[in-house]
Amino acid sequence: DKQKLTLPLIHLLAQSSPAEAAEVRHLLSHPDGHTRAALQPLPLETDRQKELGAMKAEVEFVRIPADSLVIPESVPQTDVQAFVAKPENETKLKAAYESRKQEFSTDETVRARHILVSFQGSDEKKALEKINMVAEKAKSEDFAKLAGQFSDDPGSKAKGGDLGFFTKDKMVEEFAKAAFAQNVGEVGRPVKTQYGYHLIKVEAKKPASTRTYEEARDDLASQEIARDRSRAAVEQLEASMRQGDANAVAKFVDAHKLKWEASGPFSIEAEQIPKMGAGDDAIRTAFALTPAKPLSDRLIRQGPVAFVVRHKTVQPSKDEKDPQASLLADFTANRRSEDALRLWLESLKKSARISYNSQTSGSAQ
């Protein structure tokens, strides 16, 4: 413990005269050979630091979406109806609807086809002439065929210019403004955007709407059931882990089509396990696993995700002589001198008393 190592020095400094304290402070800030020797770590400490840095572990893990393991679409309709029929669930479903009503609201949408004539720089005049020519043809000819023939939009050209249904925020402002202002079946005037000139034909419109509670109830029920079943399945998994039942864990992984991933080797000094992203708790769990006890006895949780972790043997590396040993010792000595100075300054701040010389302070005013 660095603080314990420097406490005797701090007490000594606190009792020293200003001149003595200044001298010690200078030695700590610019340690000479004797001071550095006193602060130098013992070989045992350096060896221990190297051992800790060299300790490696590797795990395999399964990533589990704890609240969404079971998807709502997999819940049978008979289970939904049984859930809705229970009076105690009505209050729960209505509360969920009110808190999430925005999810059941949709903005106004338009379905349209378009023909794009793009241009660059001085080609704008030619592009405008071309789109006007196509607009004349669209008065009597099939718009979809014209799109296939003249449009420069590769995404919709093969579909007769069909863009499907979209909301205003899905299109650039000029395009959206024109499309939502047109009537169904109408081909509007050419519209200029950053992409070029567009000819738009509106084919359908859907007004903004909000599904009622009755319309949303079954979806809400299937979501509640799926979440409850997800949590129950995860709780049962953790119970199997506490019992060390590797077979039950394997069946769980297969049943939910999950997969094991390898983390790769990591040090005990790592901030997180590679690919998992979990922190100190996961590191401690990983280094507690052994070939004799390869499976963790509990889940590692990180927000809505839970991890099953199991031991994976690390391939040993060659034991090479460390050329940085002296640098590590010097670094530790320097760090201790800095810590000693910092802790001494903090101690002085807590115990210092400030007095004012009235004559000096008066003459300064």
Side-chain angles (χ1 to χ4, degrees), residues 66-72 74-76 78-80 83 222-236 252 256:
D67 288 340
S68 56
L69 184 66
V70 178
I71 60 173
S74 69
V75 178
T78 52
D79 292 354
V80 172
F83 186 90
S222 63
Q223 291 167 14
E224 289 286 337
I225 295 169
R227 183 166 54 251
D228 290 345
R229 290 180 178 176
S230 294
R231 292 174 178 174
V234 171
E235 288 177 6
Q236 181 57 50
F252 177 94
H256 295 285

PDB file of all heavy atoms in Angstrom, residues 66-72 74-76 78-80 83 222-236 252 256:
ATOM      1  N   ALA A  66     -30.920 -10.649 -21.736  1.00  0.00           N
ATOM      2  CA  ALA A  66     -31.666 -11.175 -20.596  1.00  0.00           C
ATOM      3  C   ALA A  66     -33.167 -10.904 -20.652  1.00  0.00           C
ATOM      4  O   ALA A  66     -33.974 -11.721 -20.192  1.00  0.00           O
ATOM      5  CB  ALA A  66     -31.083 -10.609 -19.296  1.00  0.00           C
ATOM      6  N   ASP A  67     -33.574  -9.743 -21.194  1.00  0.00           N
ATOM      7  CA  ASP A  67     -34.997  -9.403 -21.230  1.00  0.00           C
ATOM      8  C   ASP A  67     -35.663  -9.696 -22.566  1.00  0.00           C
ATOM      9  O   ASP A  67     -36.882  -9.572 -22.692  1.00  0.00           O
ATOM     10  CB  ASP A  67     -35.196  -7.914 -20.897  1.00  0.00           C
ATOM     11  CG  ASP A  67     -34.960  -7.607 -19.429  1.00  0.00           C
ATOM     12  OD1 ASP A  67     -35.027  -8.548 -18.616  1.00  0.00           O
ATOM     13  OD2 ASP A  67     -34.699  -6.436 -19.101  1.00  0.00           O
ATOM     14  N   SER A  68     -34.879 -10.055 -23.568  1.00  0.00           N
ATOM     15  CA  SER A  68     -35.454 -10.283 -24.900  1.00  0.00           C
ATOM     16  C   SER A  68     -34.999 -11.608 -25.493  1.00  0.00           C
ATOM     17  O   SER A  68     -34.918 -11.750 -26.716  1.00  0.00           O
ATOM     18  CB  SER A  68     -35.077  -9.121 -25.834  1.00  0.00           C
ATOM     19  OG  SER A  68     -33.667  -8.956 -25.890  1.00  0.00           O
ATOM     20  N   LEU A  69     -34.699 -12.554 -24.623  1.00  0.00           N
ATOM     21  CA  LEU A  69     -34.270 -13.879 -25.084  1.00  0.00           C
ATOM     22  C   LEU A  69     -35.383 -14.550 -25.877  1.00  0.00           C
ATOM     23  O   LEU A  69     -35.145 -15.186 -26.911  1.00  0.00           O
ATOM     24  CB  LEU A  69     -33.886 -14.734 -23.875  1.00  0.00           C
ATOM     25  CG  LEU A  69     -33.315 -16.114 -24.144  1.00  0.00           C
ATOM     26  CD1 LEU A  69     -31.972 -16.003 -24.844  1.00  0.00           C
ATOM     27  CD2 LEU A  69     -33.160 -16.897 -22.841  1.00  0.00           C
ATOM     28  N   VAL A  70     -36.605 -14.428 -25.387  1.00  0.00           N
ATOM     29  CA  VAL A  70     -37.787 -14.954 -26.079  1.00  0.00           C
ATOM     30  C   VAL A  70     -38.406 -13.798 -26.861  1.00  0.00           C
ATOM     31  O   VAL A  70     -38.668 -12.728 -26.299  1.00  0.00           O
ATOM     32  CB  VAL A  70     -38.808 -15.525 -25.083  1.00  0.00           C
ATOM     33  CG1 VAL A  70     -40.052 -16.026 -25.816  1.00  0.00           C
ATOM     34  CG2 VAL A  70     -38.183 -16.649 -24.259  1.00  0.00           C
ATOM     35  N   ILE A  71     -38.649 -13.978 -28.152  1.00  0.00           N
ATOM     36  CA  ILE A  71     -39.216 -12.891 -28.963  1.00  0.00           C
ATOM     37  C   ILE A  71     -40.752 -12.961 -28.908  1.00  0.00           C
ATOM     38  O   ILE A  71     -41.338 -14.053 -28.859  1.00  0.00           O
ATOM     39  CB  ILE A  71     -38.722 -12.956 -30.417  1.00  0.00           C
ATOM     40  CG1 ILE A  71     -39.115 -14.284 -31.070  1.00  0.00           C
ATOM     41  CG2 ILE A  71     -37.225 -12.749 -30.477  1.00  0.00           C
ATOM     42  CD1 ILE A  71     -38.790 -14.333 -32.558  1.00  0.00           C
ATOM     43  N   PRO A  72     -41.417 -11.806 -28.899  1.00  0.00           N
ATOM     44  CA  PRO A  72     -42.891 -11.784 -28.793  1.00  0.00           C
ATOM     45  C   PRO A  72     -43.596 -12.579 -29.888  1.00  0.00           C
ATOM     46  O   PRO A  72     -44.644 -13.187 -29.655  1.00  0.00           O
ATOM     47  CB  PRO A  72     -43.214 -10.286 -28.894  1.00  0.00           C
ATOM     48  CG  PRO A  72     -41.986  -9.596 -28.408  1.00  0.00           C
ATOM     49  CD  PRO A  72     -40.847 -10.441 -28.874  1.00  0.00           C
ATOM     50  N   SER A  74     -42.910 -15.307 -31.067  1.00  0.00           N
ATOM     51  CA  SER A  74     -42.906 -16.753 -30.820  1.00  0.00           C
ATOM     52  C   SER A  74     -43.975 -17.185 -29.813  1.00  0.00           C
ATOM     53  O   SER A  74     -44.169 -18.380 -29.591  1.00  0.00           O
ATOM     54  CB  SER A  74     -41.530 -17.193 -30.314  1.00  0.00           C
ATOM     55  OG  SER A  74     -41.284 -16.689 -29.004  1.00  0.00           O
ATOM     56  N   VAL A  75     -44.658 -16.217 -29.203  1.00  0.00           N
ATOM     57  CA  VAL A  75     -45.676 -16.543 -28.199  1.00  0.00           C
ATOM     58  C   VAL A  75     -46.957 -16.976 -28.905  1.00  0.00           C
ATOM     59  O   VAL A  75     -47.507 -16.216 -29.714  1.00  0.00           O
ATOM     60  CB  VAL A  75     -45.954 -15.325 -27.287  1.00  0.00           C
ATOM     61  CG1 VAL A  75     -47.044 -15.670 -26.276  1.00  0.00           C
ATOM     62  CG2 VAL A  75     -44.683 -14.888 -26.576  1.00  0.00           C
ATOM     63  N   PRO A  76     -47.474 -18.156 -28.643  1.00  0.00           N
ATOM     64  CA  PRO A  76     -48.712 -18.632 -29.294  1.00  0.00           C
ATOM     65  C   PRO A  76     -49.900 -17.728 -28.970  1.00  0.00           C
ATOM     66  O   PRO A  76     -49.996 -17.175 -27.872  1.00  0.00           O
ATOM     67  CB  PRO A  76     -48.911 -20.035 -28.710  1.00  0.00           C
ATOM     68  CG  PRO A  76     -47.556 -20.441 -28.214  1.00  0.00           C
ATOM     69  CD  PRO A  76     -46.900 -19.189 -27.750  1.00  0.00           C
ATOM     70  N   THR A  78     -52.885 -18.544 -28.377  1.00  0.00           N
ATOM     71  CA  THR A  78     -53.683 -19.086 -27.258  1.00  0.00           C
ATOM     72  C   THR A  78     -53.145 -18.606 -25.910  1.00  0.00           C
ATOM     73  O   THR A  78     -53.908 -18.316 -24.990  1.00  0.00           O
ATOM     74  CB  THR A  78     -53.665 -20.621 -27.296  1.00  0.00           C
ATOM     75  OG1 THR A  78     -52.301 -21.086 -27.363  1.00  0.00           O
ATOM     76  CG2 THR A  78     -54.431 -21.149 -28.497  1.00  0.00           C
ATOM     77  N   ASP A  79     -51.818 -18.467 -25.800  1.00  0.00           N
ATOM     78  CA  ASP A  79     -51.214 -17.961 -24.568  1.00  0.00           C
ATOM     79  C   ASP A  79     -51.532 -16.474 -24.377  1.00  0.00           C
ATOM     80  O   ASP A  79     -51.755 -16.011 -23.256  1.00  0.00           O
ATOM     81  CB  ASP A  79     -49.699 -18.158 -24.595  1.00  0.00           C
ATOM     82  CG  ASP A  79     -49.298 -19.619 -24.538  1.00  0.00           C
ATOM     83  OD1 ASP A  79     -50.197 -20.471 -24.370  1.00  0.00           O
ATOM     84  OD2 ASP A  79     -48.099 -19.920 -24.689  1.00  0.00           O
ATOM     85  N   VAL A  80     -51.555 -15.754 -25.492  1.00  0.00           N
ATOM     86  CA  VAL A  80     -51.900 -14.330 -25.431  1.00  0.00           C
ATOM     87  C   VAL A  80     -53.332 -14.160 -24.937  1.00  0.00           C
ATOM     88  O   VAL A  80     -53.622 -13.332 -24.055  1.00  0.00           O
ATOM     89  CB  VAL A  80     -51.727 -13.665 -26.820  1.00  0.00           C
ATOM     90  CG1 VAL A  80     -52.270 -12.237 -26.814  1.00  0.00           C
ATOM     91  CG2 VAL A  80     -50.268 -13.663 -27.229  1.00  0.00           C
ATOM     92  N   PHE A  83     -53.630 -14.859 -21.281  1.00  0.00           N
ATOM     93  CA  PHE A  83     -53.042 -13.777 -20.482  1.00  0.00           C
ATOM     94  C   PHE A  83     -53.997 -12.598 -20.392  1.00  0.00           C
ATOM     95  O   PHE A  83     -54.212 -12.019 -19.314  1.00  0.00           O
ATOM     96  CB  PHE A  83     -51.724 -13.344 -21.135  1.00  0.00           C
ATOM     97  CG  PHE A  83     -50.939 -12.335 -20.355  1.00  0.00           C
ATOM     98  CD1 PHE A  83     -50.001 -12.732 -19.416  1.00  0.00           C
ATOM     99  CD2 PHE A  83     -51.123 -10.967 -20.558  1.00  0.00           C
ATOM    100  CE1 PHE A  83     -49.259 -11.799 -18.697  1.00  0.00           C
ATOM    101  CE2 PHE A  83     -50.388 -10.035 -19.852  1.00  0.00           C
ATOM    102  CZ  PHE A  83     -49.461 -10.449 -18.916  1.00  0.00           C
ATOM    103  N   SER A 222     -48.220 -10.096 -25.724  1.00  0.00           N
ATOM    104  CA  SER A 222     -47.164 -10.997 -26.204  1.00  0.00           C
ATOM    105  C   SER A 222     -45.793 -10.494 -25.754  1.00  0.00           C
ATOM    106  O   SER A 222     -44.897 -11.286 -25.448  1.00  0.00           O
ATOM    107  CB  SER A 222     -47.224 -11.133 -27.728  1.00  0.00           C
ATOM    108  OG  SER A 222     -46.972  -9.896 -28.356  1.00  0.00           O
ATOM    109  N   GLN A 223     -45.616  -9.172 -25.693  1.00  0.00           N
ATOM    110  CA  GLN A 223     -44.347  -8.611 -25.223  1.00  0.00           C
ATOM    111  C   GLN A 223     -44.136  -8.882 -23.737  1.00  0.00           C
ATOM    112  O   GLN A 223     -43.028  -9.213 -23.309  1.00  0.00           O
ATOM    113  CB  GLN A 223     -44.325  -7.101 -25.500  1.00  0.00           C
ATOM    114  CG  GLN A 223     -44.247  -6.765 -26.981  1.00  0.00           C
ATOM    115  CD  GLN A 223     -44.541  -5.301 -27.258  1.00  0.00           C
ATOM    116  OE1 GLN A 223     -44.555  -4.473 -26.344  1.00  0.00           O
ATOM    117  NE2 GLN A 223     -44.788  -4.966 -28.525  1.00  0.00           N
ATOM    118  N   GLU A 224     -45.200  -8.736 -22.944  1.00  0.00           N
ATOM    119  CA  GLU A 224     -45.110  -9.021 -21.507  1.00  0.00           C
ATOM    120  C   GLU A 224     -44.776 -10.492 -21.263  1.00  0.00           C
ATOM    121  O   GLU A 224     -43.928 -10.827 -20.431  1.00  0.00           O
ATOM    122  CB  GLU A 224     -46.433  -8.669 -20.816  1.00  0.00           C
ATOM    123  CG  GLU A 224     -46.718  -7.186 -20.711  1.00  0.00           C
ATOM    124  CD  GLU A 224     -45.868  -6.506 -19.652  1.00  0.00           C
ATOM    125  OE1 GLU A 224     -45.398  -7.203 -18.728  1.00  0.00           O
ATOM    126  OE2 GLU A 224     -45.669  -5.287 -19.749  1.00  0.00           O
ATOM    127  N   ILE A 225     -45.454 -11.369 -21.992  1.00  0.00           N
ATOM    128  CA  ILE A 225     -45.218 -12.812 -21.833  1.00  0.00           C
ATOM    129  C   ILE A 225     -43.782 -13.154 -22.223  1.00  0.00           C
ATOM    130  O   ILE A 225     -43.091 -13.900 -21.521  1.00  0.00           O
ATOM    131  CB  ILE A 225     -46.215 -13.614 -22.697  1.00  0.00           C
ATOM    132  CG1 ILE A 225     -47.642 -13.405 -22.186  1.00  0.00           C
ATOM    133  CG2 ILE A 225     -45.860 -15.100 -22.685  1.00  0.00           C
ATOM    134  CD1 ILE A 225     -48.713 -13.938 -23.124  1.00  0.00           C
ATOM    135  N   ALA A 226     -43.331 -12.597 -23.345  1.00  0.00           N
ATOM    136  CA  ALA A 226     -41.978 -12.885 -23.819  1.00  0.00           C
ATOM    137  C   ALA A 226     -40.934 -12.414 -22.805  1.00  0.00           C
ATOM    138  O   ALA A 226     -39.960 -13.128 -22.529  1.00  0.00           O
ATOM    139  CB  ALA A 226     -41.743 -12.209 -25.167  1.00  0.00           C
ATOM    140  N   ARG A 227     -41.132 -11.224 -22.233  1.00  0.00           N
ATOM    141  CA  ARG A 227     -40.168 -10.716 -21.249  1.00  0.00           C
ATOM    142  C   ARG A 227     -40.171 -11.579 -19.990  1.00  0.00           C
ATOM    143  O   ARG A 227     -39.107 -11.921 -19.455  1.00  0.00           O
ATOM    144  CB  ARG A 227     -40.487  -9.266 -20.895  1.00  0.00           C
ATOM    145  CG  ARG A 227     -39.482  -8.657 -19.933  1.00  0.00           C
ATOM    146  CD  ARG A 227     -39.586  -7.147 -19.835  1.00  0.00           C
ATOM    147  NE  ARG A 227     -40.927  -6.704 -19.516  1.00  0.00           N
ATOM    148  CZ  ARG A 227     -41.735  -6.085 -20.377  1.00  0.00           C
ATOM    149  NH1 ARG A 227     -41.333  -5.869 -21.624  1.00  0.00           N
ATOM    150  NH2 ARG A 227     -42.933  -5.682 -20.007  1.00  0.00           N
ATOM    151  N   ASP A 228     -41.364 -11.969 -19.513  1.00  0.00           N
ATOM    152  CA  ASP A 228     -41.441 -12.823 -18.324  1.00  0.00           C
ATOM    153  C   ASP A 228     -40.762 -14.162 -18.558  1.00  0.00           C
ATOM    154  O   ASP A 228     -40.054 -14.688 -17.688  1.00  0.00           O
ATOM    155  CB  ASP A 228     -42.902 -13.046 -17.917  1.00  0.00           C
ATOM    156  CG  ASP A 228     -43.552 -11.785 -17.359  1.00  0.00           C
ATOM    157  OD1 ASP A 228     -42.813 -10.840 -17.026  1.00  0.00           O
ATOM    158  OD2 ASP A 228     -44.804 -11.750 -17.265  1.00  0.00           O
ATOM    159  N   ARG A 229     -40.972 -14.722 -19.734  1.00  0.00           N
ATOM    160  CA  ARG A 229     -40.366 -16.020 -20.042  1.00  0.00           C
ATOM    161  C   ARG A 229     -38.853 -15.894 -20.225  1.00  0.00           C
ATOM    162  O   ARG A 229     -38.106 -16.816 -19.875  1.00  0.00           O
ATOM    163  CB  ARG A 229     -41.021 -16.608 -21.297  1.00  0.00           C
ATOM    164  CG  ARG A 229     -42.461 -17.049 -21.052  1.00  0.00           C
ATOM    165  CD  ARG A 229     -43.132 -17.643 -22.270  1.00  0.00           C
ATOM    166  NE  ARG A 229     -44.492 -18.074 -21.948  1.00  0.00           N
ATOM    167  CZ  ARG A 229     -45.361 -18.567 -22.825  1.00  0.00           C
ATOM    168  NH1 ARG A 229     -44.995 -18.707 -24.100  1.00  0.00           N
ATOM    169  NH2 ARG A 229     -46.578 -18.922 -22.435  1.00  0.00           N
ATOM    170  N   SER A 230     -38.415 -14.776 -20.758  1.00  0.00           N
ATOM    171  CA  SER A 230     -36.973 -14.542 -20.890  1.00  0.00           C
ATOM    172  C   SER A 230     -36.318 -14.528 -19.517  1.00  0.00           C
ATOM    173  O   SER A 230     -35.290 -15.186 -19.285  1.00  0.00           O
ATOM    174  CB  SER A 230     -36.713 -13.214 -21.604  1.00  0.00           C
ATOM    175  OG  SER A 230     -37.153 -13.256 -22.940  1.00  0.00           O
ATOM    176  N   ARG A 231     -36.901 -13.765 -18.599  1.00  0.00           N
ATOM    177  CA  ARG A 231     -36.330 -13.643 -17.260  1.00  0.00           C
ATOM    178  C   ARG A 231     -36.372 -14.973 -16.518  1.00  0.00           C
ATOM    179  O   ARG A 231     -35.427 -15.331 -15.806  1.00  0.00           O
ATOM    180  CB  ARG A 231     -37.084 -12.566 -16.482  1.00  0.00           C
ATOM    181  CG  ARG A 231     -36.846 -11.163 -17.033  1.00  0.00           C
ATOM    182  CD  ARG A 231     -37.715 -10.121 -16.354  1.00  0.00           C
ATOM    183  NE  ARG A 231     -37.424  -8.781 -16.870  1.00  0.00           N
ATOM    184  CZ  ARG A 231     -38.114  -7.685 -16.541  1.00  0.00           C
ATOM    185  NH1 ARG A 231     -39.133  -7.788 -15.693  1.00  0.00           N
ATOM    186  NH2 ARG A 231     -37.778  -6.513 -17.060  1.00  0.00           N
ATOM    187  N   ALA A 232     -37.461 -15.722 -16.689  1.00  0.00           N
ATOM    188  CA  ALA A 232     -37.567 -17.021 -16.022  1.00  0.00           C
ATOM    189  C   ALA A 232     -36.509 -17.990 -16.555  1.00  0.00           C
ATOM    190  O   ALA A 232     -35.889 -18.742 -15.788  1.00  0.00           O
ATOM    191  CB  ALA A 232     -38.968 -17.594 -16.221  1.00  0.00           C
ATOM    192  N   ALA A 233     -36.296 -17.953 -17.866  1.00  0.00           N
ATOM    193  CA  ALA A 233     -35.303 -18.842 -18.466  1.00  0.00           C
ATOM    194  C   ALA A 233     -33.899 -18.493 -17.983  1.00  0.00           C
ATOM    195  O   ALA A 233     -33.086 -19.375 -17.693  1.00  0.00           O
ATOM    196  CB  ALA A 233     -35.375 -18.742 -19.993  1.00  0.00           C
ATOM    197  N   VAL A 234     -33.613 -17.195 -17.851  1.00  0.00           N
ATOM    198  CA  VAL A 234     -32.302 -16.764 -17.386  1.00  0.00           C
ATOM    199  C   VAL A 234     -32.107 -17.130 -15.914  1.00  0.00           C
ATOM    200  O   VAL A 234     -31.017 -17.549 -15.502  1.00  0.00           O
ATOM    201  CB  VAL A 234     -32.126 -15.243 -17.604  1.00  0.00           C
ATOM    202  CG1 VAL A 234     -30.856 -14.733 -16.931  1.00  0.00           C
ATOM    203  CG2 VAL A 234     -32.077 -14.931 -19.098  1.00  0.00           C
ATOM    204  N   GLU A 235     -33.155 -16.997 -15.113  1.00  0.00           N
ATOM    205  CA  GLU A 235     -33.071 -17.399 -13.701  1.00  0.00           C
ATOM    206  C   GLU A 235     -32.811 -18.895 -13.565  1.00  0.00           C
ATOM    207  O   GLU A 235     -32.021 -19.328 -12.727  1.00  0.00           O
ATOM    208  CB  GLU A 235     -34.360 -17.017 -12.980  1.00  0.00           C
ATOM    209  CG  GLU A 235     -34.522 -15.517 -12.740  1.00  0.00           C
ATOM    210  CD  GLU A 235     -35.849 -15.172 -12.100  1.00  0.00           C
ATOM    211  OE1 GLU A 235     -36.602 -16.115 -11.745  1.00  0.00           O
ATOM    212  OE2 GLU A 235     -36.150 -13.968 -11.952  1.00  0.00           O
ATOM    213  N   GLN A 236     -33.473 -19.696 -14.401  1.00  0.00           N
ATOM    214  CA  GLN A 236     -33.253 -21.137 -14.363  1.00  0.00           C
ATOM    215  C   GLN A 236     -31.830 -21.477 -14.803  1.00  0.00           C
ATOM    216  O   GLN A 236     -31.179 -22.373 -14.240  1.00  0.00           O
ATOM    217  CB  GLN A 236     -34.262 -21.846 -15.284  1.00  0.00           C
ATOM    218  CG  GLN A 236     -34.135 -23.369 -15.310  1.00  0.00           C
ATOM    219  CD  GLN A 236     -34.270 -23.985 -13.927  1.00  0.00           C
ATOM    220  OE1 GLN A 236     -35.216 -23.688 -13.193  1.00  0.00           O
ATOM    221  NE2 GLN A 236     -33.337 -24.852 -13.546  1.00  0.00           N
ATOM    222  N   PHE A 252     -29.256 -25.040 -22.798  1.00  0.00           N
ATOM    223  CA  PHE A 252     -29.797 -23.675 -22.869  1.00  0.00           C
ATOM    224  C   PHE A 252     -29.233 -22.946 -24.083  1.00  0.00           C
ATOM    225  O   PHE A 252     -29.958 -22.296 -24.840  1.00  0.00           O
ATOM    226  CB  PHE A 252     -29.451 -22.926 -21.582  1.00  0.00           C
ATOM    227  CG  PHE A 252     -29.887 -21.485 -21.557  1.00  0.00           C
ATOM    228  CD1 PHE A 252     -31.101 -21.122 -21.003  1.00  0.00           C
ATOM    229  CD2 PHE A 252     -29.081 -20.483 -22.083  1.00  0.00           C
ATOM    230  CE1 PHE A 252     -31.511 -19.797 -20.990  1.00  0.00           C
ATOM    231  CE2 PHE A 252     -29.475 -19.159 -22.068  1.00  0.00           C
ATOM    232  CZ  PHE A 252     -30.697 -18.817 -21.515  1.00  0.00           C
ATOM    233  N   HIS A 256     -31.613 -21.828 -27.455  1.00  0.00           N
ATOM    234  CA  HIS A 256     -31.837 -20.428 -27.830  1.00  0.00           C
ATOM    235  C   HIS A 256     -30.925 -19.963 -28.951  1.00  0.00           C
ATOM    236  O   HIS A 256     -30.834 -18.763 -29.225  1.00  0.00           O
ATOM    237  CB  HIS A 256     -31.664 -19.544 -26.593  1.00  0.00           C
ATOM    238  CG  HIS A 256     -32.694 -19.792 -25.538  1.00  0.00           C
ATOM    239  ND1 HIS A 256     -33.999 -19.348 -25.655  1.00  0.00           N
ATOM    240  CD2 HIS A 256     -32.632 -20.474 -24.366  1.00  0.00           C
ATOM    241  CE1 HIS A 256     -34.682 -19.720 -24.580  1.00  0.00           C
ATOM    242  NE2 HIS A 256     -33.887 -20.408 -23.790  1.00  0.00           N
TER     243      HIS A 256
END
